Structure formats: structure tokens, C-alpha cells
Amino acid sequence: LKETWYPKRWTEILVPEPREACVLNCLLRTFAPPDYPFTFLQKADTDRRFSTFLSFRAAVIYPHDYALMLFYEFYACGMPIFLPAHLSKYLFPYSATVPLLDYVPDWVRKLPNRPPYSPLSLISVDSLRYYAHYMDFFRYPGVEYFEGIPNLLARLPVADLPKMSATMRSFRLHQLDKAHNHWDCALR
């Protein structure tokens, strides 16, 4: 990537939710004390350029879809990311609207070591608990997790953002090196 996290907006936190889901942004703006050192902005409050997003102090992402690309884009650029800790915040209601995601052929249902849940239908805390250790939201190092709005408000001012960014960049480079070596061997 040509872009990288370059924080020029040290007092602003990006909360890039889809416009129809302003719940987290609304809660943060409501519960932040008047003297809180940071303001919270949405994508709509910006020019929507990626370089602008990367100029924020950090991003708070409330996962609403497991194909959420902003997580990967911000992570690759080393932008500090804060995610909710509780698995219930990762319930992906959109997967429940696609009936094929729950379809399991009879022959697969009868397999002795079949997982109890479909990895494509993460619509219960039990299914998320089962698959969380495979999800990049929880596998990638350097990400900070918050237990709720008060915990997030307390963590943002004290988080070691340069360390978070360095950890993320190092992991990304390690993953790129592994992928390069894998495909180099596979294609020889």
C-alpha cells in the first residue's frame, strides 16, 4: 500500500460506521464528558478520502459484517484500531438473511467430526465462540479491545498508539513474507 497511518488529527477519532448504523457514534458523542480530549467523527464528516481516514488518531470499528474491508485496510496501514471485546457485537445479522448459508447437505450432517455451526452463519454467540479464534478480528496482534463505552473512553487517551501501529505493521510484513515464500515455492 502506498498509504500509511500518518496522524495529523490527534484529537479526532474515526468511527467509520455505515450511515444507517450510527449507534456507536451516537453513544460515544452522548457519553463522552464535555472535557473529553477527543471528538468522534464518521466517514460522512470527512471528504471520504482514504488518506484523510489515515490522518485520524485512531479508528473505532463496530463490526457489522464479517467482510468488513476497512479492518484490513486500516490494519495494513498500521492505523490503531479499537474493537468491541464482547462476542455479541460480532453477530452478523446479514448472514441470517442468506438462507443458503445455513444449508447443510444430509451427508455432511452425518459426518462424525462435523463442527456444530456453519462458519458462514455467525448469528449466535455460541457459533462465534466456536469460530472466534479463526477470525482475523481476534487473531491479528496490535488491536485493542474495549468492554463498553466507558472502557473505550478510558482506553483511548492512554493507549500506546505507536506501539499498536508498529505491532500491526510487523505482523503484516511477516504475513506478506510467509505468503510470498508459500507462493514462490508453489509456483516453481
Side-chain angles (χ1 to χ4, degrees), residues 22 25 29 32 38 41 50 57 64 69 77 92 101 116 119 123 130 142 168 171:
C22 76
N25 223 316
R29 290 177 181 185
F38 308 121
L41 300 173
F50 197 66
R57 176 183 184 87
H64 58 280
M69 295 312 297
C77 294
F92 301 117
L101 297 180
I123 57 173
Y130 187 84
M168 295 161 79
F171 179 75

Side-chain angles (χ1 to χ4, degrees), residues 16-91:
E17 292 190 83
R19 67 176 172 261
E20 65 275 359
C22 76
V23 175
L24 182 59
N25 223 316
C26 294
L27 288 171
L28 288 168
R29 290 177 181 185
T30 300
F31 290 107
D35 61 342
Y36 193 69
F38 308 121
T39 55
F40 299 95
L41 300 173
Q42 296 174 288
K43 288 189 291 188
D45 299 321
T46 73
D47 60 9
R48 296 178 184 258
R49 290 182 17 223
F50 197 66
S51 59
T52 300
F53 298 160
L54 294 175
S55 68
F56 281 78
R57 176 183 184 87
V60 177
I61 299 177
Y62 204 93
H64 58 280
D65 183 350
Y66 55 87
L68 187 68
M69 295 312 297
L70 274 181
F71 172 80
Y72 296 104
E73 292 167 342
F74 289 163
Y75 194 95
C77 294
M79 183 176 194
I81 299 171
F82 291 79
L83 293 169
H86 198 274
L87 288 176
S88 67
K89 305 306 180 255
Y90 295 82
L91 293 175

Side-chain angles (χ1 to χ4, degrees), residues 98-174:
V98 182
L100 288 177
L101 297 180
D102 289 325
Y103 174 74
V104 179
D106 287 335
W107 69 270
V108 173
R109 284 180 212 263
K110 296 173 186 171
L111 292 174
N113 295 325
R114 180 181 173 267
Y117 308 99
S118 166
L120 300 176
S121 186
L122 302 176
I123 57 173
S124 73
V125 172
D126 289 335
S127 64
L128 281 163
R129 190 175 294 115
Y130 187 84
Y131 287 108
H133 65 280
Y134 295 112
M135 296 172 68
D136 295 341
F137 294 128
F138 302 109
R139 283 187 340 100
Y140 283 24
V143 176
E144 289 275 331
Y145 303 94
F146 60 92
E147 296 292 333
I149 300 299
N151 181 252
L152 175 62
L153 294 174
R155 293 176 86 96
L156 283 169
V158 298
D160 187 344
L161 303 182
K163 182 179 178 184
M164 289 172 68
S165 182
T167 299
M168 295 161 79
R169 289 173 199 229
S170 175
F171 179 75
R172 178 177 174 266
L173 289 175
H174 176 72

